[in-house]
Amino acid sequence: MRVLVYGGRGALGGSIVDHFKAKNATVVNVDLHANEKADENIALDLSQDWTAQEAAVLAKLDGHFDGVFCVAGGWAGGNAAADDMVKNADLMWKQSVWSSAIAARIAAKHLKEGGLLQLTGAAPALGGTPGMMGYGMAKAAVQQLTKSLAEDGSGLPKGASVVALLPVTLDTPMNRKWMPKADFGTWTPLAWIAEHLEKWTTDAASRPSNGALLKIVTEGGKTTTTEH
Amino acid sequence: MRVLVYGGRGALGGSIVDHFKAKNATVVNVDLHANEKADENIALDLSQDWTAQEAAVLAKLDGHFDGVFCVAGGWAGGNAAADDMVKNADLMWKQSVWSSAIAARIAAKHLKEGGLLQLTGAAPALGGTPGMMGYGMAKAAVQQLTKSLAEDGSGLPKGASVVALLPVTLDTPMNRKWMPKADFGTWTPLAWIAEHLEKWTTDAASRPSNGALLKIVTEGGKTTTTEH
């Protein structure tokens, strides 16, 4: 098994790298910084524009993957009255949409037939997000891209599936640091994501519907999903 | 009456400028090139990035508007297997999302209480658009921004409304040139849009719901709308 993790140096990405390495998979990490546990690292250059980043990543890849997982992203707020709304929208676009579109290009060229492409949306972006306009726009774009990729003529390999994960809050060290009094039982464990990505990659019948926007809700420590 | 047209040099934008001038409104045009019929022109500089364009436009504006209409945009195709998918997605983002976000910032600062902000989406982006991925992502972002702007806390002035128009095909000279054998009776006349923008601006009770994605369908020369 060979997988690519876009954003494999972050909290969620690192958890996915760990999980797949424990299952003896070969793991390629694409991120600003290397993850020493990955078999191969492709470093992104923030000074490059979107097409240059795409070209740089594609030039370093060969072979095929069972799964391509894009968990890169970030968060920034701002409504229309906020002076940093556009600045933050630009950052959100680069973090979530550049990465997702390049992951889609990687999948078109390097995913195996019947492979799995996973992108990352956000549950709030299924509706309006007045206090975080740039974040909502970027995630809505990723979610619409997911629908596009699932349709005939998308350019993905035959039999491939795509799913966008829409978590509410992930149980990461950073979230525990900044929200120490929150109810952690409502946060989704990173291991839940990593285990399900492995299951869906190896057992196509277990996958969500092709093109699903999979809202992931954790309550009382129990995680459930609904498709949108 | 004073309105701002973002993209007032294009086919639709020019039609809106003409219509509002005929109603004795004061019209400000924001576009790459001047529209000599507008009372004031603010020239966009394509060499600037998103935040610099925003700052340049905001620095040239004062006073308040009854309506802010953003009809800037373009079209480019490409699925995930297309080598120009990312290049085109970048262009679509700049043409549709940069303009819409700056229009939202203009509205937050310069729209009158109870005024109208109009953005431009696309009917196909309500679902997947596999053959035009960048276009779909950009329009989906504009459509989600519309939902955000309609909610409490969006930063728009009190009582303001926002609507996104989702045309299928507009009856423009360029479309007639490139699709000379199409059934023009299924194309929406530019005057329909201009007349309705004036009606909604002057009569708030006639407006679509706040935050509506207004799909505009023309059949047999008759134009109808549905809210999404």
Side-chain angles (χ1 to χ4, degrees):
Chain A
M1 182 159 50
R2 185 169 184 253
V3 300
L4 182 144
V5 184
Y6 206 113
R9 175 67 184 264
L12 176 56
S15 169
I16 295 168
V17 171
D18 287 348
H19 184 85
F20 277 85
K21 283 310 303 172
K23 300 291 175 175
N24 297 312
T26 301
V27 180
V28 175
N29 169 44
V30 180
D31 207 326
L32 295 171
H33 302 287
N35 180 330
E36 64 198 17
K37 294 175 186 167
D39 297 279
E40 190 183 334
N41 285 283
I42 297 177
L44 294 168
D45 176 356
L46 271 191
S47 72
Q48 292 181 317
D49 68 15
W50 197 359
T51 52
Q53 274 192 18
E54 176 204 21
V57 171
L58 290 177
K60 287 175 190 153
L61 284 175
D62 56 15
H64 286 81
F65 297 98
D66 299 273
V68 171
F69 314 130
C70 180
V71 293
W75 185 90
N79 70 3
D83 286 336
D84 57 5
M85 180 259 203
V86 165
K87 179 170 78 78
N88 286 350
D90 191 52
L91 182 65
M92 294 299 92
W93 185 252
K94 289 171 178 169
Q95 291 185 344
S96 284
V97 182
W98 287 21
S99 54
S100 297
I102 295 173
R105 293 281 295 142
I106 293 169
K109 286 181 168 281
H110 295 282
L111 194 63
K112 287 181 187 168
E113 289 194 358
L116 176 67
L117 169 63
Q118 173 262 316
L119 304 177
T120 304
L126 291 170
T129 53
M132 44 186 190
M133 289 193 173
Y135 179 80
M137 284 196 286
K139 292 299 189 179
V142 171
Q143 290 164 199
Q144 197 269 349
L145 175 64
T146 303
K147 296 295 181 190
S148 293
L149 288 164
E151 291 192 11
D152 286 346
S154 73
L156 289 190
K158 191 174 160 188
S161 300
V162 57
V163 59
L165 303 185
L166 281 54
V168 179
T169 307
L170 295 176
D171 190 356
T172 64
M174 200 64 90
N175 282 337
R176 287 207 181 219
K177 179 179 172 188
W178 293 110
M179 296 178 270
K181 293 179 179 172
D183 175 5
F184 303 149
T186 65
W187 291 2
T188 303
L190 302 182
W192 187 97
I193 310 266
E195 286 161 11
H196 281 76
L197 287 177
E198 183 217 340
K199 185 179 170 195
W200 299 332
T201 300
T202 54
D203 175 14
S206 73
R207 292 177 186 169
S209 308
N210 191 16
L213 309 180
L214 199 72
K215 185 175 174 181
I216 302 173
V217 174
T218 301
E219 285 176 348
K222 190 174 179 323
T223 297
T224 56
T225 62
T226 49
E227 293 190 4
H228 293 265
Chain B
M1 184 161 46
R2 184 168 185 252
V3 300
L4 182 144
V5 184
Y6 205 112
R9 177 64 184 264
L12 176 55
S15 168
I16 294 167
V17 171
D18 287 348
H19 183 85
F20 277 85
K21 283 311 301 172
K23 300 290 176 174
N24 296 312
T26 301
V27 180
V28 176
N29 168 45
V30 180
D31 207 326
L32 295 171
H33 302 287
N35 180 330
E36 64 197 16
K37 295 175 187 167
D39 297 279
E40 189 183 335
N41 285 282
I42 297 177
L44 294 168
D45 177 355
L46 271 191
S47 72
Q48 293 181 316
D49 68 15
W50 197 358
T51 52
Q53 274 191 19
E54 176 204 21
V57 172
L58 290 178
K60 286 174 192 154
L61 284 174
D62 56 16
H64 286 81
F65 296 98
D66 299 273
V68 171
F69 313 130
C70 180
V71 294
W75 185 89
N79 71 2
D83 286 337
D84 57 5
M85 180 260 202
V86 165
K87 180 170 76 79
N88 287 349
D90 191 51
L91 182 65
M92 294 299 93
W93 188 253
K94 289 171 178 169
Q95 291 185 344
S96 285
V97 182
W98 286 23
S99 55
S100 298
I102 295 173
R105 293 280 296 140
I106 293 169
K109 285 180 171 282
H110 296 282
L111 193 63
K112 287 182 186 167
E113 289 195 357
L116 176 68
L117 169 63
Q118 172 262 317
L119 304 177
T120 305
L126 291 170
T129 53
M132 45 186 189
M133 289 193 173
Y135 180 80
M137 283 196 285
K139 292 299 190 180
V142 171
Q143 290 164 199
Q144 197 269 348
L145 175 63
T146 303
K147 297 295 183 190
S148 293
L149 288 164
E151 291 192 11
D152 286 343
S154 72
L156 289 190
K158 192 175 161 187
S161 300
V162 57
V163 60
L165 302 185
L166 282 52
V168 179
T169 308
L170 294 176
D171 189 356
T172 65
M174 199 64 91
N175 282 337
R176 287 204 181 221
K177 179 179 173 188
W178 292 110
M179 295 178 271
K181 292 180 180 171
D183 174 5
F184 302 148
T186 65
W187 291 3
T188 303
L190 301 182
W192 187 98
I193 310 265
E195 287 162 10
H196 281 76
L197 286 178
E198 183 216 341
K199 184 180 170 196
W200 298 332
T201 300
T202 54
D203 175 13
S206 73
R207 292 178 186 169
S209 307
N210 191 17
L213 309 180
L214 199 72
K215 185 175 174 180
I216 303 174
V217 174
T218 301
E219 284 176 349
K222 188 173 178 327
T223 297
T224 56
T225 63
T226 49
E227 293 192 5
H228 293 266

